[in-house]
Amino acid sequence: MKRILLIALVAVLAVSVFAGCAPASNGTDTPSANEEYVKMGEEAAKNGDESLKNVMDKGEFIVGLDDSFPPMGFRDEDGNLTGFDIELAQAVAAHMGVKANLQAIDWKAKELELESGNIDMIWNGYTITPERQAQVLMSEPYMENMQVVVVPADSSIKTLADLAGKKVAVQDGSSAQEAIADNAELAASIGEQIDFKDNVTALMDVSSGQTDALAVDLVVANYYLAKDPDKYVILEETLSPEQYGIGFRKSDQALHDAIMQALSEMKEDGTATKLSEKWFGKDVTTF
């Protein structure tokens, strides 16, 4: 009897030891796929569109983004990606039961990154324009925005007409760049347009006095003005109104539909509204 009890005790201790040696979960395990989206992907695949099925099978979608575009997507003081679009994409992924793989890209080459398959979607303050709609499958708008001009607080520039002969900074490949090009009179009057890789560097150039103004998205301008309210001002006269959307490959209708359905469901359950209120103080979403 004692021998049996001893064997049992050893067995219990062994199980405890092995359990203690098992690796702890780090919270990054692949989430369980939402069966509704799995079935949607399988149905679409029967008709030749495997875009959603591929995402559900591999357990992630890859988001192409500009990591210097606050407050939509940028790096915090610790170098971590954050922002409204970042958290919204992550929430959509969690809703679908997959992960959002965040991939910083050269914004000027965003459509090439998408078409080559390096990313599954462009999602980071991506303005809907006819030119972009011709290249990608664009989602319905999810947020309103506009292009504006930012100048130093002590600048003599008060209107768009005052930009005549001035140096204007702009992010290369941005909708601000397109807004200037679409305004023939303004484009012709500007002394020099200087294209930068990102808005952070462009604004630093304005701050140093190397350039006179920055054409940029209103949400970005508001972010920087909130940090330095006495350093910059936004001209009252705007360049153009616009809307943000998510860009997909033309062939990826199933993935597009799934993302839009997830956003709609998150609007209904309050998730999207909470994220918007966190970043903007109110619900700015339009889906």
Side-chain angles (χ1 to χ4, degrees), residues 11 21 23 39 50 55 84 135 164 166 175 178 204 206 208 227 238 250 253 270:
C21 293
K39 292 178 181 178
E50 297 186 348
V55 163
F84 174 66
Q135 293 180 276
K166 304 296 185 180
S175 51
E178 295 178 21
M204 288 175 60
V206 173
S208 67
K227 295 180 67 175
T238 63
K250 287 283 191 179
Q253 186 69 50

Side-chain angles (χ1 to χ4, degrees), residues 182-251:
D182 290 341
N183 187 329
E185 183 177 351
L186 175 63
S189 72
I190 291 174
E192 183 180 1
Q193 178 180 306
I194 304 176
D195 302 329
F196 290 85
K197 183 177 181 181
D198 57 72
N199 286 308
V200 175
T201 307
L203 190 61
M204 288 175 60
D205 210 63
V206 173
S207 178
S208 67
Q210 298 301 306
T211 48
D212 301 297
L214 169 66
V216 67
D217 295 64
L218 177 61
V219 292
V220 179
N222 283 336
Y223 175 82
Y224 284 113
L225 263 69
K227 295 180 67 175
D228 292 298
D230 300 323
K231 194 171 184 178
Y232 307 101
V233 295
I234 301 172
L235 299 189
E236 291 186 10
E237 192 176 359
T238 63
L239 290 172
S240 64
E242 63 182 27
Q243 297 173 312
Y244 285 154
I246 308 165
F248 303 84
R249 281 179 287 275
K250 287 283 191 179
S251 59

Side-chain angles (χ1 to χ4, degrees), residues 5 7 23 50 75 91 104 120-122 146 161 213 235-236 238 263 266:
L5 290 173
I7 293 173
E50 297 186 348
R75 295 190 182 276
D120 295 311
M121 61 195 74
I122 304 169
M146 64 179 66
L235 299 189
E236 291 186 10
T238 63
L263 285 171
M266 287 164 52

Side-chain angles (χ1 to χ4, degrees), residues 10-276:
V10 170
V12 170
L13 289 173
V15 170
S16 299
V17 169
F18 281 115
C21 293
S25 172
N26 58 12
T28 60
D29 297 332
T30 302
S32 299
N34 185 320
E35 287 301 318
E36 178 184 2
Y37 290 90
V38 171
K39 292 178 181 178
M40 287 173 57
E42 291 173 346
E43 286 300 314
K46 292 178 182 178
N47 296 317
D49 183 352
E50 297 186 348
S51 58
L52 177 57
K53 184 177 185 303
N54 289 339
V55 163
M56 301 309 296
D57 285 348
K58 67 182 180 181
E60 68 171 25
F61 55 69
I62 305 173
V63 179
L65 57 97
D66 174 3
D67 64 355
S68 57
F69 195 76
M72 309 307 288
F74 62 103
R75 295 190 182 276
D76 61 21
E77 294 179 354
D78 297 321
N80 299 314
L81 285 167
T82 187
F84 174 66
D85 277 344
I86 299 293
E87 293 192 1
L88 189 59
Q90 291 173 326
V92 165
H95 185 84
M96 295 172 62
V98 297
K99 291 182 182 180
N101 184 341
L102 307 173
Q103 183 65 54
I105 58 174
D106 180 350
W107 197 244
K108 187 178 180 180
K110 53 192 174 296
E111 287 84 11
L112 291 176
E113 292 277 1
L114 180 66
E115 191 58 36
S116 67
N118 291 335
I119 58 176
D120 295 311
M121 61 195 74
I122 304 169
W123 191 347
N124 196 192
Y126 189 42
T127 301
I128 300 173
T129 67
E131 293 78 13
R132 289 173 176 174
Q133 287 176 315
Q135 293 180 276
V136 307
L137 171 60
M138 192 70 78
S139 75
E140 291 81 354
Y142 67 89
M143 182 175 165
E144 302 283 348
N145 185 49
M146 64 179 66
Q147 292 300 320
V148 297
V149 175
V150 175
V151 298
D154 60 355
S155 174
S156 61
I157 299 172
K158 306 300 181 183
T159 67
L160 294 182
D162 294 336
L163 293 174
K166 304 296 185 180
K167 293 182 179 179
V168 178
V170 66
Q171 182 185 23
D172 200 6
S174 69
S175 51
Q177 191 179 50
E178 295 178 21
I180 292 176
D182 290 341
N183 187 329
E185 183 177 351
L186 175 63
S189 72
I190 291 174
E192 183 180 1
Q193 178 180 306
I194 304 176
D195 302 329
F196 290 85
K197 183 177 181 181
D198 57 72
N199 286 308
V200 175
T201 307
L203 190 61
M204 288 175 60
D205 210 63
V206 173
S207 178
S208 67
Q210 298 301 306
T211 48
D212 301 297
L214 169 66
V216 67
D217 295 64
L218 177 61
V219 292
V220 179
N222 283 336
Y223 175 82
Y224 284 113
L225 263 69
K227 295 180 67 175
D228 292 298
D230 300 323
K231 194 171 184 178
Y232 307 101
V233 295
I234 301 172
L235 299 189
E236 291 186 10
E237 192 176 359
T238 63
L239 290 172
S240 64
E242 63 182 27
Q243 297 173 312
Y244 285 154
I246 308 165
F248 303 84
R249 281 179 287 275
K250 287 283 191 179
S251 59
D252 291 0
Q253 186 69 50
L255 180 57
H256 163 282
D257 294 348
I259 297 295
M260 294 312 299
Q261 177 173 316
L263 285 171
S264 177
E265 292 170 351
M266 287 164 52
K267 181 76 169 184
E268 292 179 4
D269 68 21
T271 302
T273 298
K274 288 179 181 178
L275 286 176
S276 182

